[in-house]
Amino acid sequence: MLKAQSLSIGYGKTRIGSGLELTVQSGDILCLLGPNGCGKTTLFRTLLGLLPALSGTVMLGGKPITAQTRAEIAHQVAYVPQAHAPPFPFEALEVVLMGRTARLGLFGQPGRNDRAIARNAMDRLGIGGLAHRDYSRLSGGQRQLVLIARALAQEAPLIVMDEPTASLDFGNQAQVLAQIAGLVQDVATRGCAVILSTHNPDQAFALNAQVLLMKDGVRQAQGSAHEVLTDASLSNVYGIPVSVETTSSGRKVCLPSLACQSAPTITSDALTIA
Amino acid sequence: MDAGKITDVSLHRPAITLTGGLALCLAVLAFGAVMIGPYGLTPTQTLAALSGRGDPQAQIVVWNIRLPRVAAALLVGAALAAAGASYQALFRNPLVSPDILGVSAGAGLGAVAGIFLSLPVAAIQATAFAGGMVAVGFVTLVAALVQNTDRTLTLVLIGVVIGALAGAATSLLKVTADPYDQLPAITFWLLGSLAATTTEDILPALPMVLIGLVPLALLRWRINVLSLGDEEARALGIEVARTRFLVIASATMITASVTALAGVVGWVGLVIPHIARMLVGPGFGRLLPASILIGASYLLIVDTLARTIAQVEVPLGILTAVIGAPFFVWLLARGRHGWS
């Protein structure tokens, strides 16, 4: 479905990452983990063909992404940006309908069939009731679900989500995560796959995802969450001691150590003042 | 998360009825504007004159003086509002007006140069149109050469630069122009007026505006998607650069042709799309016709005031600013969060 080989990413002369390899097939969830500024967003933009690769290739559906039109790319991969506030008060249903754009002709308008698909996508995520609400006045979690519904309406087999749970409260994070998990299981037969980035490694365990662990634009580890996310690898990437523990229900969670961080800082401050 | 009240009524459902109402309102206003003037007419006289019967003098007033002027006001108002709505969607900013890319400044320079060279009226119209198109063409060209990832911001800033240069050139021409003959004409033109408009002046502008409206109407769905921003629009399958160029070219052609006809009339393209958006929502398929109807009605009212409230003609630009500016502040004050 999507295959990136010896990929170097960056803007113009600024190289942000290199030596990246990834393959995504239907039914996969690939989770990108790494500290701020490690190149996750740049990698996404490159995978979506929004930013040219500095070197290496991105193959989408067996063809180089650079040789495809925006409409061809949109048929194969949908993008879910972080929930944003749009400049104009569109209805939520209108926002979802925009996912149909690549299926319409240059001068086309969404028709009855497109509306049915858009409504269906909203119903599937349990937000059918928001259809005629003003998107710009929805909560962050509702907006995120509307944007996921838009990706579903796009009917692309691969969905790329940029930190879908960023800026969401605890409950909404779990809601969105559950929908992502449901999405891949539900449509696995139709060949759907998801690539997402997150700042919370617990989510990779919760989704039972494949993981690409990045630091400074370089791959640190790649494989299933259970293989890749260890005390050592997480501590190395995030620069703080992390321990991976298993709860009584059998789920793994990542616990950053707070104690040994704060203590020396306070001591040194106290010494400086003294 | 609360799925919200289940409701199947669109926020913008009454759009068709509303648009019909606006069209009716426009027709009534246009009829009223034909009646009003120094040579007052009753509705019966107006109807008779329109159908080519009755008092010959009334027929001359209606056909040769009032109708061309009413038609010009409708055309200019509709065009500026349509262009404003397009630019606002494209630049994702409801504070944008049609002269954002320097079309007014360019058309102003073209017209002032025409007046300076004592060209005939038709030629001044042509130089004004050319000035507007060249200015925006220059802006898009320079913006394309500047390496910056934010294409929209680059366009706007280059627009400011080119607008300032055109303004400087206009000032230079004003300083060197004949203060008794040319300068009053220049000043009047830069404030906008339909005082001397004849049918011959409208004829070149009308097809330009209509041709410019066609791509905007056809691309109405894509213009919605463009208002999400370049990155998302591209990810949704739009060739953004090409589509944006088409919208800019169309909206600029519309603005340049009516600016050549009426001079620089500010505020219409800024305020009217706001009102239209409040009535029918931001969907461009509804916003464009609503903007056209409201813009036409508004400029008709303003122009009728311009020719009746005083012994002398009041320049349009003065009235649109006096009415538009406080109204805009009111819009901002009552606005919901952000732009709406």
Side-chain angles (χ1 to χ4, degrees), chain A residues 173-196:
Chain A
Q173 289 193 17
Q175 288 262 17
V176 169
L177 221 54
Q179 293 293 357
I180 294 171
L183 220 62
V184 176
Q185 283 154 13
D186 181 28
V187 271
T189 44
R190 276 165 50 188
C192 188
V194 173
I195 305 180
L196 76 156

Short mmCIF file of all heavy atoms in Angstrom, two decimals, chain A residues 173-196:
data_model
loop_
_atom_site.label_atom_id
_atom_site.label_comp_id
_atom_site.label_asym_id
_atom_site.label_seq_id
_atom_site.Cartn_x
_atom_site.Cartn_y
_atom_site.Cartn_z
N GLN A 173 -9.53 11.37 24.56
CA GLN A 173 -8.40 10.61 24.02
C GLN A 173 -8.78 9.15 23.86
O GLN A 173 -8.55 8.53 22.83
CB GLN A 173 -7.20 10.71 24.96
CG GLN A 173 -6.55 12.07 24.95
CD GLN A 173 -5.20 12.06 25.64
OE1 GLN A 173 -4.61 11.01 25.85
NE2 GLN A 173 -4.71 13.24 25.98
N ALA A 174 -9.41 8.60 24.92
CA ALA A 174 -9.79 7.18 24.89
C ALA A 174 -10.84 6.94 23.81
O ALA A 174 -10.79 5.95 23.08
CB ALA A 174 -10.31 6.76 26.26
N GLN A 175 -11.78 7.88 23.69
CA GLN A 175 -12.84 7.76 22.67
C GLN A 175 -12.24 7.68 21.27
O GLN A 175 -12.57 6.81 20.47
CB GLN A 175 -13.74 9.01 22.72
CG GLN A 175 -14.64 9.07 23.91
CD GLN A 175 -16.03 8.59 23.57
OE1 GLN A 175 -16.22 7.92 22.56
NE2 GLN A 175 -16.99 8.92 24.42
N VAL A 176 -11.36 8.65 20.97
CA VAL A 176 -10.77 8.71 19.64
C VAL A 176 -9.93 7.47 19.37
O VAL A 176 -9.98 6.88 18.29
CB VAL A 176 -9.93 10.01 19.48
CG1 VAL A 176 -9.09 9.97 18.22
CG2 VAL A 176 -10.85 11.22 19.46
N LEU A 177 -9.20 7.05 20.40
CA LEU A 177 -8.35 5.86 20.26
C LEU A 177 -9.20 4.62 19.96
O LEU A 177 -8.86 3.81 19.09
CB LEU A 177 -7.58 5.66 21.56
CG LEU A 177 -6.13 5.25 21.44
CD1 LEU A 177 -5.38 6.23 20.56
CD2 LEU A 177 -5.49 5.20 22.83
N ALA A 178 -10.32 4.50 20.68
CA ALA A 178 -11.21 3.36 20.47
C ALA A 178 -11.75 3.37 19.04
O ALA A 178 -11.86 2.32 18.39
CB ALA A 178 -12.37 3.42 21.47
N GLN A 179 -12.06 4.56 18.53
CA GLN A 179 -12.57 4.66 17.16
C GLN A 179 -11.50 4.23 16.15
O GLN A 179 -11.79 3.57 15.16
CB GLN A 179 -13.01 6.09 16.84
CG GLN A 179 -14.23 6.56 17.62
CD GLN A 179 -15.49 5.82 17.25
OE1 GLN A 179 -15.47 4.97 16.36
NE2 GLN A 179 -16.58 6.11 17.95
N ILE A 180 -10.24 4.61 16.43
CA ILE A 180 -9.15 4.24 15.51
C ILE A 180 -8.99 2.71 15.49
O ILE A 180 -8.90 2.08 14.43
CB ILE A 180 -7.83 4.91 15.93
CG1 ILE A 180 -7.94 6.43 15.75
CG2 ILE A 180 -6.66 4.37 15.12
CD1 ILE A 180 -6.79 7.21 16.35
N ALA A 181 -9.01 2.12 16.70
CA ALA A 181 -8.89 0.67 16.77
C ALA A 181 -10.04 0.00 16.05
O ALA A 181 -9.85 -0.94 15.27
CB ALA A 181 -8.84 0.23 18.24
N GLY A 182 -11.26 0.52 16.27
CA GLY A 182 -12.45 -0.02 15.63
C GLY A 182 -12.38 0.06 14.13
O GLY A 182 -12.75 -0.86 13.40
N LEU A 183 -11.85 1.18 13.66
CA LEU A 183 -11.72 1.45 12.23
C LEU A 183 -10.94 0.36 11.51
O LEU A 183 -11.37 -0.16 10.48
CB LEU A 183 -10.93 2.74 12.10
CG LEU A 183 -11.31 3.76 11.07
CD1 LEU A 183 -12.71 4.25 11.36
CD2 LEU A 183 -10.34 4.91 11.16
N VAL A 184 -9.80 0.02 12.07
CA VAL A 184 -8.93 -0.94 11.40
C VAL A 184 -9.52 -2.34 11.47
O VAL A 184 -9.49 -3.08 10.49
CB VAL A 184 -7.51 -0.90 12.01
CG1 VAL A 184 -6.64 -1.95 11.39
CG2 VAL A 184 -6.91 0.48 11.81
N GLN A 185 -10.09 -2.69 12.65
CA GLN A 185 -10.70 -4.02 12.77
C GLN A 185 -11.92 -4.12 11.87
O GLN A 185 -12.10 -5.07 11.13
CB GLN A 185 -11.11 -4.28 14.22
CG GLN A 185 -9.92 -4.63 15.09
CD GLN A 185 -10.16 -4.28 16.55
OE1 GLN A 185 -11.28 -3.98 16.95
NE2 GLN A 185 -9.10 -4.30 17.33
N ASP A 186 -12.75 -3.06 11.92
CA ASP A 186 -14.01 -3.05 11.21
C ASP A 186 -13.82 -3.17 9.70
O ASP A 186 -14.48 -3.95 9.03
CB ASP A 186 -14.75 -1.76 11.55
CG ASP A 186 -16.09 -1.68 10.85
OD1 ASP A 186 -16.65 -2.73 10.59
OD2 ASP A 186 -16.55 -0.56 10.60
N VAL A 187 -12.89 -2.40 9.18
CA VAL A 187 -12.75 -2.38 7.74
C VAL A 187 -11.54 -3.17 7.26
O VAL A 187 -11.14 -3.03 6.12
CB VAL A 187 -12.62 -0.93 7.22
CG1 VAL A 187 -13.98 -0.37 6.93
CG2 VAL A 187 -11.87 -0.07 8.19
N ALA A 188 -11.00 -3.99 8.15
CA ALA A 188 -9.83 -4.77 7.75
C ALA A 188 -10.11 -5.52 6.46
O ALA A 188 -9.25 -5.64 5.60
CB ALA A 188 -9.43 -5.74 8.86
N THR A 189 -11.33 -5.99 6.34
CA THR A 189 -11.70 -6.72 5.13
C THR A 189 -11.60 -5.82 3.90
O THR A 189 -11.32 -6.29 2.80
CB THR A 189 -13.12 -7.27 5.24
OG1 THR A 189 -13.94 -6.23 5.79
CG2 THR A 189 -13.15 -8.49 6.14
N ARG A 190 -11.86 -4.52 4.10
CA ARG A 190 -11.76 -3.61 2.96
C ARG A 190 -10.35 -3.05 2.82
O ARG A 190 -10.10 -2.22 1.95
CB ARG A 190 -12.76 -2.47 3.12
CG ARG A 190 -14.15 -2.85 2.64
CD ARG A 190 -15.21 -1.88 3.10
NE ARG A 190 -14.84 -0.49 2.82
CZ ARG A 190 -15.53 0.54 3.27
NH1 ARG A 190 -16.60 0.36 4.01
NH2 ARG A 190 -15.16 1.76 2.99
N GLY A 191 -9.47 -3.48 3.72
CA GLY A 191 -8.07 -3.12 3.53
C GLY A 191 -7.66 -1.76 4.05
O GLY A 191 -6.87 -1.07 3.45
N CYS A 192 -8.22 -1.34 5.19
CA CYS A 192 -7.88 -0.03 5.73
C CYS A 192 -6.64 -0.14 6.62
O CYS A 192 -6.41 -1.14 7.28
CB CYS A 192 -9.05 0.51 6.54
SG CYS A 192 -8.85 2.19 7.07
N ALA A 193 -5.81 0.90 6.59
CA ALA A 193 -4.64 0.96 7.46
C ALA A 193 -4.53 2.37 8.02
O ALA A 193 -5.05 3.31 7.43
CB ALA A 193 -3.38 0.60 6.69
N VAL A 194 -3.86 2.50 9.16
CA VAL A 194 -3.73 3.81 9.80
C VAL A 194 -2.27 4.05 10.17
O VAL A 194 -1.59 3.16 10.69
CB VAL A 194 -4.60 3.90 11.08
CG1 VAL A 194 -4.32 5.19 11.83
CG2 VAL A 194 -6.08 3.80 10.74
N ILE A 195 -1.78 5.24 9.85
CA ILE A 195 -0.49 5.69 10.39
C ILE A 195 -0.81 6.86 11.31
O ILE A 195 -1.54 7.77 10.91
CB ILE A 195 0.46 6.19 9.30
CG1 ILE A 195 0.67 5.12 8.23
CG2 ILE A 195 1.81 6.59 9.89
CD1 ILE A 195 1.60 5.58 7.12
N LEU A 196 -0.35 6.82 12.54
CA LEU A 196 -0.60 7.96 13.42
C LEU A 196 0.65 8.31 14.21
O LEU A 196 1.54 7.48 14.38
CB LEU A 196 -1.77 7.69 14.37
CG LEU A 196 -1.55 6.77 15.57
CD1 LEU A 196 -2.56 7.08 16.65
CD2 LEU A 196 -1.68 5.32 15.15
#
